[in-house]
Amino acid sequence: MPIEAALIIGGVLALAGTIVSYILLIPEKRKANLNKFFTFVRNVFTFKHLLLESILRALYVFSTFFVIFAGFFMLFSGYRRYSWYGGGFESAALEGLLTMVLGPIAVRLAYEAMMLFVLLVKNTIAINTKLESKPGKESETPNVPENIVFCQFCGTKYNANIGGCPNNCAPQPQYPQHPPQQ
């Protein structure tokens, strides 16, 4: 089969799969009727689970073991090379020891830098989920127009829907004077 035909057939099948996915998997109303496998596929397509995090963790573990084992075998390999600077042979034991000690630290720093972005996205998704599921979200901000008035005693501008003058300068009630006691 020519490569052009394979690309065309692959493109047509990918288009058909996309259309079927958007009809059967992606809509929220279909989420409850999916089995475990299709729920996983839906979560992958809607980015509910990040695959990059799992891949980076596996690569981190592999890289750490690789650096440690490579340094170990360099340490005891008995490999000797000619040193052009010292004029004699030197062993790779020092390089192996440094690889075993500093290698995992360098690998950890590199993967932590990569994981920062993944964790940032993950935390943002978690915050958005909590905000979307907050009960009574619409009732917190009633749609009442402001009633701006000025206090008749001090002239302070305030919203009459919230309460009276913030300076509490309403007139004090006048009580009648009691006659002096004898």
Side-chain angles (χ1 to χ4, degrees), residues 97-119:
L97 187 62
L98 288 175
T99 302
M100 285 177 61
V101 173
L102 297 178
I105 296 171
V107 167
R108 176 68 181 212
L109 291 175
Y111 279 97
E112 278 185 12
M114 288 185 268
M115 285 296 290
L116 281 176
F117 297 108
V118 173
L119 294 176

Side-chain angles (χ1 to χ4, degrees), residues 178-182:
H178 295 291
Q181 292 183 358
Q182 313 239 19

Side-chain angles (χ1 to χ4, degrees), residues 65-81 90-101 103:
F65 280 129
F66 176 76
V67 167
I68 291 172
F69 290 143
F72 179 78
F73 287 112
M74 285 172 62
L75 183 66
F76 296 110
S77 68
Y79 173 74
R80 298 173 86 48
R81 63 173 180 212
E90 61 184 34
S91 172
L94 180 62
E95 287 90 349
L97 187 62
L98 288 175
T99 302
M100 285 177 61
V101 173

Side-chain angles (χ1 to χ4, degrees), residues 33-100:
N33 299 332
L34 298 175
N35 64 17
K36 193 172 184 179
F37 173 74
F38 286 116
T39 301
F40 171 76
V41 172
R42 181 186 188 281
N43 288 339
V44 168
F45 285 160
T46 57
F47 294 98
K48 298 289 183 191
H49 297 289
L50 300 175
L51 294 178
L52 184 62
E53 182 180 12
S54 300
I55 292 170
L56 283 177
R57 281 187 185 148
L59 285 175
Y60 167 70
V61 172
F62 172 79
S63 301
T64 303
F65 280 129
F66 176 76
V67 167
I68 291 172
F69 290 143
F72 179 78
F73 287 112
M74 285 172 62
L75 183 66
F76 296 110
S77 68
Y79 173 74
R80 298 173 86 48
R81 63 173 180 212
Y82 184 75
S83 173
W84 294 100
Y85 302 110
F89 288 96
E90 61 184 34
S91 172
L94 180 62
E95 287 90 349
L97 187 62
L98 288 175
T99 302
M100 285 177 61

Side-chain angles (χ1 to χ4, degrees), residues 148-153 155-158:
I148 303 296
V149 294
F150 293 92
C151 178
Q152 60 184 347
F153 298 102
T156 303
K157 182 178 172 181
Y158 65 92

